[in-house]
Amino acid sequence: MFRAAIDLFGKKGWAGFTIDGVARAAGVGKASLYLRWDSKQQLLFDALAARASVDVSVDTGDIRSDLRHLGGQLLGMFWADGGITYMRLVVEGAVHEEFAEHRDRVTHPTVLAARQIVHRATARGELPPGTSPALVLDAILGATIMHVAVTPAELRDVARERSDQYLDQLVDLILAGVRGVAKESGDH
Amino acid sequence: MFRAAIDLFGKKGWAGFTIDGVARAAGVGKASLYLRWDSKQQLLFDALAARASVDVSVDTGDIRSDLRHLGGQLLGMFWADGGITYMRLVVEGAVHEEFAEHRDRVTHPTVLAARQIVHRATARGELPPGTSPALVLDAILGATIMHVAVTPAELRDVARERSDQYLDQLVDLILAGVRGVAKESGDH
């Protein structure tokens, strides 16, 4: 049921999402769905809430491992469905006020995790003071989702197999970036 | 007409996009639209094609200026509508085969521009040999769109005013990153 709801949302977005459509796709009577859910919104939000979410408690004691772990979870989530569910949620959240709250429930834990990862690394002296958690997260989250979204269908399997390599490159780039920027500022 | 079509696509996505809906939003008779467009797909693609596109011919002779220029255009485009049209296009392109081709017409020029910017900078010796244009573009494109998409509505005006500062941080991060990674490899 939830699987059918997520698939329909991914394929059609909010405008094409209906309880009847979910019932059809799942091969069940729509009456049973209406019994359980008052609105299509509640059905979708329950389905989204039931998805495996990102484990935000990562704390390996090392900034590179922490970012690899966070990025790996994001990349795995995006490859599972081409990043469609997440992008749909972000775009519907930008358009519809009632979606913004639910989008935040999905995205905020990642934001908080990124903030804690960066703050702990700063406290350990692994990252320069003042490193922006938001910029680090924009870069990891944005790059991984764009990487998945714009990889042509025929190259997906190859790209997916190279996920570890991609993550290494991305995390190295970001870490060298924040350290390099701090060093250049310090040299002035 | 095109404005109404883009707005409707942004609000509802492909599933909620109809010629009748565009006629209603634009306040014109739908007969006149059906006279001009055979399908809702052709109407939307014409509207998307008529949008101001990214100027990909940027060549300032300096990698920082080139990336600032490209990133500034992307960020400006995303702020104009919350990044909605671009995200809709990317997600519909991932879901519907007929959208993939049009998405590519919109996104490929940016990919080519990024490739040329990075290759020229490598040739000038500004960037280390082997710098990945794809990774640089994923980071700039992904970070700018996520930055816009996840900024809460009440903070948008402030964030938009700080676009130059954000771009400086982002481009500095990426440039320091690719140089730092090369340096660390060279030190091994």
Side-chain angles (χ1 to χ4, degrees), chain A residues 8-107:
Chain A
L8 185 63
F9 178 62
K11 202 164 164 195
K12 303 232 168 178
W14 182 235
F17 185 86
T18 61
I19 293 186
D20 289 10
V22 175
R24 247 193 325 274
V28 301
K30 58 188 180 179
S32 68
L33 294 196
Y34 281 108
L35 268 180
R36 196 159 154 204
W37 286 285
D38 287 339
S39 67
K40 67 173 192 163
Q41 184 171 323
Q42 200 50 53
L43 167 56
L44 177 60
F45 287 179
D46 283 354
L48 288 168
R51 290 179 90 209
S53 58
V54 171
D55 167 21
V56 295
S57 65
V58 49
D59 182 6
T60 67
D62 173 75
I63 180 66
R64 184 175 306 266
S65 308
D66 279 4
L67 290 182
R68 280 289 270 98
H69 192 73
L70 183 67
Q73 288 188 83
L74 290 170
L75 202 51
M77 181 171 79
F78 298 151
W79 278 128
D81 66 353
I84 290 167
T85 310
Y86 195 90
M87 278 191 293
R88 287 271 189 218
L89 191 59
V90 167
V91 71
E92 303 295 5
V95 176
H96 305 290
E97 194 53 49
E98 71 269 30
F99 257 87
E101 196 186 322
H102 188 80
R103 176 205 56 200
D104 290 348
R105 278 207 292 275
V106 172
T107 58

Side-chain angles (χ1 to χ4, degrees), chain B residues 10-170:
Chain B
K11 204 166 163 192
K12 303 231 169 179
W14 182 234
F17 186 86
T18 61
I19 293 187
D20 289 11
V22 175
R24 247 194 323 274
V28 302
K30 57 188 180 180
S32 67
L33 294 196
Y34 282 108
L35 267 179
R36 198 161 153 202
W37 286 283
D38 287 338
S39 67
K40 66 174 193 162
Q41 185 172 324
Q42 201 49 55
L43 168 56
L44 177 60
F45 287 178
D46 283 355
L48 288 168
R51 289 179 90 210
S53 58
V54 170
D55 168 22
V56 296
S57 64
V58 48
D59 182 6
T60 66
D62 173 75
I63 180 65
R64 185 175 306 266
S65 307
D66 279 3
L67 290 182
R68 280 288 269 99
H69 192 71
L70 183 67
Q73 287 187 84
L74 290 170
L75 203 50
M77 182 171 80
F78 298 151
W79 278 127
D81 66 354
I84 289 166
T85 310
Y86 194 90
M87 278 191 292
R88 286 270 188 219
L89 192 59
V90 167
V91 71
E92 302 295 4
V95 176
H96 305 290
E97 195 53 50
E98 72 268 30
F99 257 87
E101 194 186 324
H102 188 80
R103 175 205 56 198
D104 291 347
R105 279 207 291 278
V106 172
T107 59
H108 272 186
T110 312
V111 174
L112 294 179
R115 196 173 297 165
Q116 286 165 359
I117 287 172
V118 168
H119 285 169
R120 284 196 309 262
T122 308
R124 285 194 301 263
E126 284 188 300
L127 289 181
T131 299
S132 162
L135 188 63
V136 168
L137 181 62
D138 284 351
I140 289 190
L141 180 62
T144 50
I145 201 157
M146 280 299 137
H147 176 63
V148 170
V150 305
T151 298
E154 66 273 19
L155 298 180
R156 292 218 157 173
D157 286 347
V158 174
R160 191 173 180 163
E161 273 172 31
R162 290 187 189 154
S163 285
D164 280 348
Q165 193 184 337
Y166 183 80
L167 277 172
D168 283 338
Q169 286 189 329
L170 180 62

